[in-house]
Amino acid sequence: MTCDCVDVDGAAGPGADVAAAGSERWHMVPWAVLLALGVTSAGAQTAGLFVPTLTLGQTFTDNTTQSITGRSSEFVTTVSPGLSYSSRGGRIQGFASYALNGALYARDHERSNLRHSLNASLASDWFDRRLSLAARVSTTRASASALDRPGNDSFRDLPGSTTVQSYALSPALRGRLLGEMRYEASLNWLSTRTGSATLSDSTALSGSFSLASALAGTPLSWSLAATRTTSDFSLGRSTTSARVVGQLDYRLSPDLTLGLRGGREQTELTELQGSRSTDNWGLSANWRPTERTRVSATWDHRFFGNGYSISAEHRLRRSAFRFTDSRDVSDNAGFGAASSARTLFDTLFAQFAATEPDPARREQLVDAFLRSSGLDGNRAAGGGFLSSAATVQRRQDLTWTMTGLRTSLLLSTNRSQGSRVDAGSNVNDDFAGGNVLDQRAYNLSITHRLTPTATAGLSLQDTRTRASTSGIRTEQRSVGLNWTTQLGRRTALTALVRHVEFDSPTAPYTENSVNAVVNMRF
């Protein structure tokens, strides 16, 4: 997939050369896989549904360049024809949403542009679930530096902003051996394209093979897994890591399972040349007292220190709580440990998992929430960093969602902390010189149904970033008021008023904007 920035006259806009440089290689693969899944679903017994969409928008801003000096107002007209797909059953499950986004500037015509956006997550199972294939694509606008002004508007080419594309493909083969063992062989390919000459593109390819006991009626089980990962940063270097882990699990009760594991891993990340082998060991626990409550935790002693993952969620009839805390190695250029770039849609999709486990229904739930709140799902979500070398990152997320008869609420806070772990990389990015970045984001969105066809909403956001070596601190605060009404069965109008303040030692600014959007689904 490409995300070229092209003006309406056909000349390449900012970032087009960088985006096009790698698009001629293997980045048509996700498009081909998604197309193949879609064609396959058309002939399979699925509940797949294709829906053409059209979004028309008009925006007025009093600071189109987000500058404290030389402020200039601008009217921007946006047109976004698209196509969405969702499937809840059959061989193909998941969703895909594509749009061609055109922005026309009333005064500064040279800033007019065209962009492609694709957000998709599809999975296919074959041969009684022995063979599976999952594909995921996301596109977002983000700042090249975590300390720069957030460049996450989908229609503006702001200084320091870039288009981030993430692709993931995961084929897997699973079955039984000798009737008493389960096996699984899988490949995971993850690519992040930053669209910036100063930031690395990255590719990570991981292969794994595991064996596990398949005996029923016994509380003791075992597993053995081997994994090998190669990670390549375009501005940095290529490194390889391998790990072998054996685990014993004991089911104390139907609700509680404890695990103990140990193994050995080899990595090139801690060495300037060559590799180093270390022992690793860890513990795990899974507790599920009810269908609505789930708690899991893992802890491992690894080559980079202690790694862990904690997850807790609880669902009530109209609300859900979710908390996650993890520390791990991130071997790609995306946001967060071992994850792809985080759009607002991606973040909400994960946060609503406790409310709606079904992916297709959850996609519709997130889409409805974004439209009623006047939010752009393709913009970058708060929290996380773009890196050009492997890093150790800790991320914490706390979310509470509530859906009432007339009022819905989303309250979330997250914290990301990262530092470089690759001893052989000297790339000049936010983590150079031993810098540790700490970012905290707070979000509150409230929507209230005024009439059967109209809703009003309030959104508050605050993102704070701090660098340890320079002591630089930045903070962005925004408040938005929106009103949405149904003009017809498949047509909605949203009006949004937004105020943004960005505090920075180098590039502070304030901006006020008014936006009107018509969403049509055919």
Side-chain angles (χ1 to χ4, degrees), residues 205-267:
L205 180 62
S206 176
S208 65
F209 181 80
S210 64
L211 292 173
S213 60
L215 292 176
T218 174
L220 185 65
S221 60
W222 61 267
S223 64
L224 180 65
T227 305
R228 182 180 178 88
T229 301
T230 298
S231 180
D232 184 20
F233 287 85
S234 61
L235 298 183
R237 64 171 184 160
S238 176
T239 58
T240 299
S241 300
R243 187 183 183 193
V244 177
V245 177
Q247 177 159 331
L248 290 175
D249 291 308
Y250 187 79
R251 191 173 68 250
L252 292 176
S253 69
D255 305 329
L256 179 62
T257 301
L258 301 180
L260 173 67
R261 60 178 166 271
R264 192 164 180 83
E265 61 185 323
Q266 185 180 52
T267 182

Short mmCIF file of all heavy atoms in Angstrom, two decimals, residues 205-267:
data_model
loop_
_atom_site.label_atom_id
_atom_site.label_comp_id
_atom_site.label_asym_id
_atom_site.label_seq_id
_atom_site.Cartn_x
_atom_site.Cartn_y
_atom_site.Cartn_z
N LEU A 205 10.74 -10.02 10.93
CA LEU A 205 10.24 -11.33 10.52
C LEU A 205 10.54 -12.32 11.64
O LEU A 205 11.70 -12.50 12.02
CB LEU A 205 10.89 -11.78 9.22
CG LEU A 205 10.45 -13.15 8.69
CD1 LEU A 205 8.96 -13.16 8.38
CD2 LEU A 205 11.26 -13.54 7.46
N SER A 206 9.49 -12.94 12.14
CA SER A 206 9.64 -13.87 13.25
C SER A 206 9.02 -15.21 12.88
O SER A 206 7.89 -15.27 12.37
CB SER A 206 8.97 -13.31 14.51
OG SER A 206 9.02 -14.22 15.58
N GLY A 207 9.75 -16.27 13.14
CA GLY A 207 9.24 -17.62 12.93
C GLY A 207 9.28 -18.39 14.24
O GLY A 207 10.22 -18.25 15.03
N SER A 208 8.27 -19.20 14.48
CA SER A 208 8.22 -19.95 15.74
C SER A 208 7.61 -21.33 15.51
O SER A 208 6.83 -21.55 14.58
CB SER A 208 7.39 -19.19 16.79
OG SER A 208 6.04 -19.10 16.39
N PHE A 209 8.01 -22.25 16.38
CA PHE A 209 7.45 -23.60 16.38
C PHE A 209 7.27 -24.03 17.82
O PHE A 209 8.18 -23.85 18.65
CB PHE A 209 8.36 -24.59 15.65
CG PHE A 209 7.80 -25.98 15.60
CD1 PHE A 209 6.83 -26.31 14.67
CD2 PHE A 209 8.23 -26.96 16.49
CE1 PHE A 209 6.30 -27.61 14.63
CE2 PHE A 209 7.71 -28.23 16.45
CZ PHE A 209 6.74 -28.57 15.51
N SER A 210 6.10 -24.58 18.13
CA SER A 210 5.82 -24.97 19.51
C SER A 210 5.15 -26.32 19.57
O SER A 210 4.42 -26.72 18.64
CB SER A 210 4.92 -23.92 20.19
OG SER A 210 3.65 -23.87 19.57
N LEU A 211 5.41 -27.03 20.66
CA LEU A 211 4.76 -28.30 21.00
C LEU A 211 4.12 -28.15 22.37
O LEU A 211 4.69 -27.51 23.26
CB LEU A 211 5.76 -29.45 21.01
CG LEU A 211 6.37 -29.88 19.67
CD1 LEU A 211 7.47 -30.92 19.92
CD2 LEU A 211 5.30 -30.45 18.75
N ALA A 212 2.94 -28.75 22.54
CA ALA A 212 2.26 -28.66 23.84
C ALA A 212 1.50 -29.94 24.09
O ALA A 212 1.06 -30.63 23.14
CB ALA A 212 1.31 -27.46 23.87
N SER A 213 1.34 -30.28 25.35
CA SER A 213 0.60 -31.50 25.71
C SER A 213 -0.88 -31.30 25.38
O SER A 213 -1.42 -30.20 25.47
CB SER A 213 0.77 -31.80 27.19
OG SER A 213 0.28 -30.72 27.99
N ALA A 214 -1.54 -32.40 25.01
CA ALA A 214 -2.95 -32.34 24.66
C ALA A 214 -3.77 -33.33 25.48
O ALA A 214 -4.86 -33.73 25.09
CB ALA A 214 -3.13 -32.63 23.18
N LEU A 215 -3.26 -33.73 26.63
CA LEU A 215 -3.97 -34.68 27.48
C LEU A 215 -5.09 -33.98 28.22
O LEU A 215 -4.89 -32.91 28.82
CB LEU A 215 -3.00 -35.31 28.49
CG LEU A 215 -1.93 -36.25 27.91
CD1 LEU A 215 -1.00 -36.72 29.01
CD2 LEU A 215 -2.60 -37.45 27.23
N ALA A 216 -6.28 -34.56 28.19
CA ALA A 216 -7.43 -34.01 28.91
C ALA A 216 -7.58 -34.69 30.26
O ALA A 216 -7.16 -35.84 30.46
CB ALA A 216 -8.70 -34.18 28.07
N GLY A 217 -8.18 -33.99 31.20
CA GLY A 217 -8.46 -34.56 32.51
C GLY A 217 -7.30 -34.55 33.47
O GLY A 217 -7.37 -35.17 34.53
N THR A 218 -6.20 -33.86 33.15
CA THR A 218 -5.08 -33.76 34.07
C THR A 218 -4.77 -32.29 34.34
O THR A 218 -4.84 -31.47 33.41
CB THR A 218 -3.82 -34.46 33.49
OG1 THR A 218 -2.71 -34.21 34.34
CG2 THR A 218 -3.51 -33.91 32.10
N PRO A 219 -4.43 -31.92 35.57
CA PRO A 219 -4.17 -30.50 35.87
C PRO A 219 -2.81 -30.02 35.41
O PRO A 219 -2.55 -28.82 35.35
CB PRO A 219 -4.27 -30.44 37.39
CG PRO A 219 -3.90 -31.82 37.85
CD PRO A 219 -4.43 -32.75 36.79
N LEU A 220 -1.90 -30.95 35.05
CA LEU A 220 -0.56 -30.57 34.66
C LEU A 220 -0.42 -30.61 33.14
O LEU A 220 -0.83 -31.57 32.49
CB LEU A 220 0.46 -31.52 35.30
CG LEU A 220 1.94 -31.19 35.07
CD1 LEU A 220 2.29 -29.86 35.76
CD2 LEU A 220 2.83 -32.32 35.58
N SER A 221 0.16 -29.55 32.58
CA SER A 221 0.41 -29.51 31.14
C SER A 221 1.78 -28.89 30.89
O SER A 221 2.35 -28.23 31.76
CB SER A 221 -0.67 -28.70 30.42
OG SER A 221 -0.72 -27.36 30.89
N TRP A 222 2.32 -29.11 29.68
CA TRP A 222 3.65 -28.60 29.35
C TRP A 222 3.64 -28.06 27.93
O TRP A 222 2.78 -28.36 27.11
CB TRP A 222 4.71 -29.68 29.48
CG TRP A 222 4.47 -30.86 28.56
CD1 TRP A 222 3.81 -32.01 28.85
CD2 TRP A 222 4.89 -30.96 27.18
NE1 TRP A 222 3.76 -32.84 27.75
CE2 TRP A 222 4.43 -32.22 26.71
CE3 TRP A 222 5.59 -30.14 26.32
CZ2 TRP A 222 4.66 -32.65 25.42
CZ3 TRP A 222 5.83 -30.56 25.02
CH2 TRP A 222 5.37 -31.81 24.59
N SER A 223 4.65 -27.23 27.63
CA SER A 223 4.82 -26.70 26.28
C SER A 223 6.30 -26.38 26.06
O SER A 223 7.05 -26.13 27.01
CB SER A 223 3.97 -25.45 26.04
OG SER A 223 4.39 -24.40 26.89
N LEU A 224 6.69 -26.41 24.80
CA LEU A 224 8.06 -26.09 24.40
C LEU A 224 7.98 -25.25 23.14
O LEU A 224 7.31 -25.62 22.17
CB LEU A 224 8.87 -27.36 24.13
CG LEU A 224 10.33 -27.18 23.70
CD1 LEU A 224 11.13 -26.55 24.84
CD2 LEU A 224 10.94 -28.53 23.29
N ALA A 225 8.66 -24.08 23.13
CA ALA A 225 8.56 -23.16 21.99
C ALA A 225 9.94 -22.64 21.62
O ALA A 225 10.77 -22.34 22.49
CB ALA A 225 7.64 -21.99 22.34
N ALA A 226 10.17 -22.53 20.32
CA ALA A 226 11.41 -21.95 19.78
C ALA A 226 11.03 -20.82 18.83
O ALA A 226 10.15 -20.97 17.99
CB ALA A 226 12.22 -23.01 19.04
N THR A 227 11.71 -19.67 18.98
CA THR A 227 11.39 -18.48 18.19
C THR A 227 12.68 -17.86 17.68
O THR A 227 13.69 -17.80 18.41
CB THR A 227 10.63 -17.44 19.04
OG1 THR A 227 9.47 -18.04 19.60
CG2 THR A 227 10.21 -16.25 18.19
N ARG A 228 12.65 -17.40 16.44
CA ARG A 228 13.78 -16.68 15.85
C ARG A 228 13.24 -15.45 15.15
O ARG A 228 12.30 -15.53 14.35
CB ARG A 228 14.53 -17.57 14.85
CG ARG A 228 15.76 -16.89 14.24
CD ARG A 228 16.45 -17.82 13.26
NE ARG A 228 17.59 -17.19 12.60
CZ ARG A 228 18.82 -17.20 13.09
NH1 ARG A 228 19.06 -17.79 14.25
NH2 ARG A 228 19.82 -16.61 12.43
N THR A 229 13.83 -14.28 15.45
CA THR A 229 13.35 -13.00 14.93
C THR A 229 14.51 -12.23 14.31
O THR A 229 15.58 -12.10 14.91
CB THR A 229 12.72 -12.14 16.04
OG1 THR A 229 11.62 -12.87 16.62
CG2 THR A 229 12.19 -10.83 15.49
N THR A 230 14.29 -11.71 13.11
CA THR A 230 15.23 -10.81 12.44
C THR A 230 14.56 -9.46 12.27
O THR A 230 13.47 -9.37 11.70
CB THR A 230 15.67 -11.36 11.08
OG1 THR A 230 16.33 -12.61 11.26
CG2 THR A 230 16.63 -10.39 10.40
N SER A 231 15.21 -8.42 12.76
CA SER A 231 14.67 -7.06 12.69
C SER A 231 15.65 -6.17 11.95
O SER A 231 16.85 -6.18 12.22
CB SER A 231 14.43 -6.52 14.11
OG SER A 231 13.92 -5.21 14.07
N ASP A 232 15.12 -5.38 11.00
CA ASP A 232 15.98 -4.56 10.14
C ASP A 232 15.45 -3.13 10.12
O ASP A 232 14.29 -2.89 9.76
CB ASP A 232 16.01 -5.13 8.73
CG ASP A 232 16.97 -4.36 7.81
OD1 ASP A 232 17.86 -3.67 8.33
OD2 ASP A 232 16.81 -4.45 6.58
N PHE A 233 16.29 -2.16 10.53
CA PHE A 233 15.97 -0.74 10.47
C PHE A 233 16.76 -0.11 9.31
O PHE A 233 17.97 -0.31 9.21
CB PHE A 233 16.34 -0.04 11.77
CG PHE A 233 15.42 -0.36 12.92
CD1 PHE A 233 15.63 -1.49 13.69
CD2 PHE A 233 14.35 0.47 13.22
CE1 PHE A 233 14.79 -1.80 14.75
CE2 PHE A 233 13.51 0.17 14.27
CZ PHE A 233 13.72 -0.96 15.03
N SER A 234 16.07 0.64 8.46
CA SER A 234 16.71 1.17 7.25
C SER A 234 17.84 2.14 7.57
O SER A 234 18.83 2.21 6.83
CB SER A 234 15.67 1.86 6.37
OG SER A 234 15.06 2.95 7.04
N LEU A 235 17.75 2.91 8.65
CA LEU A 235 18.81 3.83 9.03
C LEU A 235 19.72 3.25 10.10
O LEU A 235 20.75 3.86 10.43
CB LEU A 235 18.21 5.14 9.54
CG LEU A 235 17.37 5.95 8.55
CD1 LEU A 235 16.90 7.26 9.19
CD2 LEU A 235 18.15 6.24 7.27
N GLY A 236 19.35 2.13 10.64
CA GLY A 236 20.16 1.51 11.68
C GLY A 236 20.83 0.24 11.17
O GLY A 236 21.52 0.24 10.17
N ARG A 237 20.59 -0.86 11.84
CA ARG A 237 21.23 -2.11 11.44
C ARG A 237 20.23 -3.26 11.57
O ARG A 237 19.14 -3.11 12.13
CB ARG A 237 22.46 -2.38 12.31
CG ARG A 237 22.15 -2.60 13.79
CD ARG A 237 23.38 -3.08 14.53
NE ARG A 237 23.10 -3.39 15.93
CZ ARG A 237 23.87 -4.17 16.69
NH1 ARG A 237 24.97 -4.70 16.18
NH2 ARG A 237 23.57 -4.40 17.95
N SER A 238 20.63 -4.40 11.05
CA SER A 238 19.83 -5.62 11.13
C SER A 238 20.35 -6.49 12.27
O SER A 238 21.56 -6.69 12.39
CB SER A 238 19.87 -6.37 9.80
OG SER A 238 19.17 -7.59 9.89
N THR A 239 19.45 -7.00 13.09
CA THR A 239 19.84 -7.84 14.22
C THR A 239 18.96 -9.09 14.24
O THR A 239 17.83 -9.08 13.75
CB THR A 239 19.71 -7.10 15.56
OG1 THR A 239 18.36 -6.65 15.72
CG2 THR A 239 20.66 -5.92 15.62
N THR A 240 19.50 -10.14 14.86
CA THR A 240 18.78 -11.40 14.97
C THR A 240 18.78 -11.86 16.41
O THR A 240 19.79 -11.76 17.11
CB THR A 240 19.43 -12.48 14.08
OG1 THR A 240 19.38 -12.06 12.72
CG2 THR A 240 18.69 -13.81 14.21
N SER A 241 17.63 -12.36 16.85
CA SER A 241 17.49 -12.91 18.20
C SER A 241 16.80 -14.26 18.11
O SER A 241 15.96 -14.49 17.23
CB SER A 241 16.68 -11.97 19.10
OG SER A 241 17.31 -10.71 19.22
N ALA A 242 17.16 -15.17 19.01
CA ALA A 242 16.55 -16.49 19.06
C ALA A 242 16.29 -16.87 20.51
O ALA A 242 17.06 -16.49 21.41
CB ALA A 242 17.44 -17.53 18.38
N ARG A 243 15.21 -17.63 20.73
CA ARG A 243 14.84 -17.97 22.10
C ARG A 243 14.17 -19.34 22.13
O ARG A 243 13.36 -19.65 21.26
CB ARG A 243 13.90 -16.92 22.69
CG ARG A 243 13.59 -17.09 24.16
CD ARG A 243 12.59 -16.04 24.62
NE ARG A 243 12.33 -16.14 26.05
CZ ARG A 243 11.33 -15.53 26.68
NH1 ARG A 243 10.50 -14.76 25.99
NH2 ARG A 243 11.16 -15.67 27.97
N VAL A 244 14.53 -20.15 23.12
CA VAL A 244 13.90 -21.44 23.36
C VAL A 244 13.39 -21.44 24.80
O VAL A 244 14.16 -21.13 25.72
CB VAL A 244 14.88 -22.61 23.14
CG1 VAL A 244 14.20 -23.94 23.47
CG2 VAL A 244 15.39 -22.62 21.70
N VAL A 245 12.11 -21.76 24.98
CA VAL A 245 11.48 -21.70 26.30
C VAL A 245 10.63 -22.94 26.52
O VAL A 245 9.85 -23.34 25.65
CB VAL A 245 10.59 -20.44 26.46
CG1 VAL A 245 9.90 -20.45 27.81
CG2 VAL A 245 11.41 -19.18 26.29
N GLY A 246 10.79 -23.55 27.68
CA GLY A 246 9.92 -24.64 28.11
C GLY A 246 9.06 -24.18 29.28
O GLY A 246 9.53 -23.42 30.14
N GLN A 247 7.80 -24.63 29.32
CA GLN A 247 6.88 -24.16 30.37
C GLN A 247 6.06 -25.30 30.92
O GLN A 247 5.63 -26.20 30.19
CB GLN A 247 5.94 -23.08 29.82
CG GLN A 247 4.91 -22.60 30.83
CD GLN A 247 4.33 -21.24 30.51
OE1 GLN A 247 5.00 -20.41 29.89
NE2 GLN A 247 3.11 -21.00 30.95
N LEU A 248 5.84 -25.26 32.25
CA LEU A 248 4.94 -26.16 32.94
C LEU A 248 3.80 -25.35 33.53
O LEU A 248 4.02 -24.33 34.19
CB LEU A 248 5.67 -26.91 34.06
CG LEU A 248 6.71 -27.97 33.64
CD1 LEU A 248 7.41 -28.52 34.89
CD2 LEU A 248 6.05 -29.09 32.86
N ASP A 249 2.57 -25.82 33.29
CA ASP A 249 1.37 -25.16 33.83
C ASP A 249 0.63 -26.13 34.73
O ASP A 249 0.51 -27.33 34.42
CB ASP A 249 0.44 -24.70 32.71
CG ASP A 249 1.02 -23.55 31.90
OD1 ASP A 249 1.43 -22.55 32.52
OD2 ASP A 249 1.07 -23.67 30.67
N TYR A 250 0.11 -25.58 35.83
CA TYR A 250 -0.67 -26.40 36.76
C TYR A 250 -1.99 -25.70 37.05
O TYR A 250 -2.00 -24.54 37.49
CB TYR A 250 0.09 -26.65 38.06
CG TYR A 250 -0.61 -27.63 38.97
CD1 TYR A 250 -0.52 -29.01 38.73
CD2 TYR A 250 -1.37 -27.19 40.04
CE1 TYR A 250 -1.17 -29.92 39.55
CE2 TYR A 250 -2.03 -28.09 40.87
CZ TYR A 250 -1.93 -29.45 40.62
OH TYR A 250 -2.57 -30.35 41.41
N ARG A 251 -3.09 -26.39 36.80
CA ARG A 251 -4.42 -25.83 37.03
C ARG A 251 -4.85 -26.12 38.47
O ARG A 251 -5.21 -27.24 38.81
CB ARG A 251 -5.42 -26.41 36.04
CG ARG A 251 -6.76 -25.70 36.05
CD ARG A 251 -7.68 -26.19 34.94
NE ARG A 251 -8.10 -27.57 35.17
CZ ARG A 251 -7.71 -28.62 34.47
NH1 ARG A 251 -6.85 -28.45 33.47
NH2 ARG A 251 -8.15 -29.83 34.75
N LEU A 252 -4.78 -25.09 39.30
CA LEU A 252 -5.16 -25.25 40.70
C LEU A 252 -6.66 -25.42 40.86
O LEU A 252 -7.12 -26.11 41.78
CB LEU A 252 -4.69 -24.04 41.51
CG LEU A 252 -3.18 -23.88 41.69
CD1 LEU A 252 -2.87 -22.59 42.43
CD2 LEU A 252 -2.60 -25.08 42.44
N SER A 253 -7.42 -24.79 39.99
CA SER A 253 -8.87 -24.86 40.01
C SER A 253 -9.36 -24.57 38.60
O SER A 253 -8.57 -24.16 37.74
CB SER A 253 -9.45 -23.85 41.01
OG SER A 253 -9.25 -22.52 40.54
N PRO A 254 -10.64 -24.75 38.32
CA PRO A 254 -11.14 -24.42 36.98
C PRO A 254 -10.92 -22.96 36.60
O PRO A 254 -10.92 -22.64 35.40
CB PRO A 254 -12.64 -24.76 37.07
CG PRO A 254 -12.73 -25.80 38.14
CD PRO A 254 -11.67 -25.41 39.14
N ASP A 255 -10.71 -22.09 37.60
CA ASP A 255 -10.57 -20.66 37.33
C ASP A 255 -9.14 -20.17 37.34
O ASP A 255 -8.85 -19.10 36.80
CB ASP A 255 -11.36 -19.83 38.37
CG ASP A 255 -12.82 -20.25 38.44
OD1 ASP A 255 -13.35 -20.67 37.40
OD2 ASP A 255 -13.41 -20.16 39.54
N LEU A 256 -8.22 -20.92 37.95
CA LEU A 256 -6.86 -20.42 38.18
C LEU A 256 -5.81 -21.41 37.68
O LEU A 256 -5.84 -22.59 38.03
CB LEU A 256 -6.64 -20.15 39.67
CG LEU A 256 -5.26 -19.65 40.08
CD1 LEU A 256 -4.94 -18.31 39.42
CD2 LEU A 256 -5.15 -19.54 41.60
N THR A 257 -4.88 -20.89 36.85
CA THR A 257 -3.77 -21.69 36.34
C THR A 257 -2.47 -20.94 36.57
O THR A 257 -2.37 -19.74 36.27
CB THR A 257 -3.93 -21.97 34.83
OG1 THR A 257 -5.16 -22.67 34.61
CG2 THR A 257 -2.77 -22.80 34.31
N LEU A 258 -1.46 -21.64 37.12
CA LEU A 258 -0.14 -21.06 37.36
C LEU A 258 0.88 -21.73 36.46
O LEU A 258 0.77 -22.92 36.14
CB LEU A 258 0.26 -21.23 38.83
CG LEU A 258 -0.66 -20.60 39.87
CD1 LEU A 258 -0.13 -20.87 41.27
CD2 LEU A 258 -0.82 -19.11 39.64
N GLY A 259 1.90 -20.95 36.04
CA GLY A 259 2.90 -21.48 35.14
C GLY A 259 4.31 -21.12 35.55
O GLY A 259 4.55 -20.07 36.17
N LEU A 260 5.26 -21.99 35.22
CA LEU A 260 6.69 -21.78 35.48
C LEU A 260 7.44 -22.12 34.20
O LEU A 260 7.19 -23.15 33.58
CB LEU A 260 7.16 -22.67 36.63
CG LEU A 260 8.67 -22.69 36.93
CD1 LEU A 260 9.11 -21.32 37.45
CD2 LEU A 260 9.00 -23.78 37.93
N ARG A 261 8.37 -21.25 33.78
CA ARG A 261 9.09 -21.51 32.53
C ARG A 261 10.55 -21.11 32.66
O ARG A 261 10.93 -20.32 33.52
CB ARG A 261 8.42 -20.78 31.37
CG ARG A 261 8.37 -19.28 31.50
CD ARG A 261 7.73 -18.65 30.25
NE ARG A 261 7.37 -17.27 30.49
CZ ARG A 261 6.21 -16.88 30.98
NH1 ARG A 261 5.29 -17.77 31.30
NH2 ARG A 261 5.95 -15.60 31.17
N GLY A 262 11.33 -21.66 31.74
CA GLY A 262 12.75 -21.35 31.69
C GLY A 262 13.31 -21.71 30.33
O GLY A 262 12.75 -22.53 29.61
N GLY A 263 14.42 -21.07 29.98
CA GLY A 263 15.01 -21.34 28.68
C GLY A 263 16.28 -20.54 28.47
O GLY A 263 16.91 -20.07 29.43
N ARG A 264 16.63 -20.36 27.22
CA ARG A 264 17.84 -19.65 26.87
C ARG A 264 17.59 -18.83 25.61
O ARG A 264 16.83 -19.24 24.71
CB ARG A 264 19.00 -20.63 26.64
CG ARG A 264 20.37 -19.96 26.56
CD ARG A 264 21.47 -20.99 26.73
NE ARG A 264 22.79 -20.38 26.66
CZ ARG A 264 23.40 -19.79 27.69
NH1 ARG A 264 22.77 -19.71 28.87
NH2 ARG A 264 24.60 -19.27 27.56
N GLU A 265 18.20 -17.66 25.53
CA GLU A 265 18.04 -16.82 24.35
C GLU A 265 19.38 -16.23 23.93
O GLU A 265 20.31 -16.05 24.74
CB GLU A 265 17.03 -15.70 24.61
CG GLU A 265 17.37 -14.73 25.70
CD GLU A 265 16.24 -13.73 25.94
OE1 GLU A 265 15.61 -13.32 24.96
OE2 GLU A 265 15.99 -13.38 27.11
N GLN A 266 19.46 -15.94 22.65
CA GLN A 266 20.65 -15.37 22.05
C GLN A 266 20.25 -14.12 21.28
O GLN A 266 19.30 -14.14 20.51
CB GLN A 266 21.31 -16.39 21.11
CG GLN A 266 22.64 -15.93 20.51
CD GLN A 266 23.23 -16.99 19.60
OE1 GLN A 266 22.55 -17.49 18.70
NE2 GLN A 266 24.47 -17.36 19.84
N THR A 267 21.00 -13.02 21.48
CA THR A 267 20.64 -11.76 20.84
C THR A 267 21.89 -10.98 20.46
O THR A 267 22.93 -11.11 21.11
CB THR A 267 19.75 -10.90 21.76
OG1 THR A 267 19.40 -9.69 21.07
CG2 THR A 267 20.47 -10.56 23.05
#
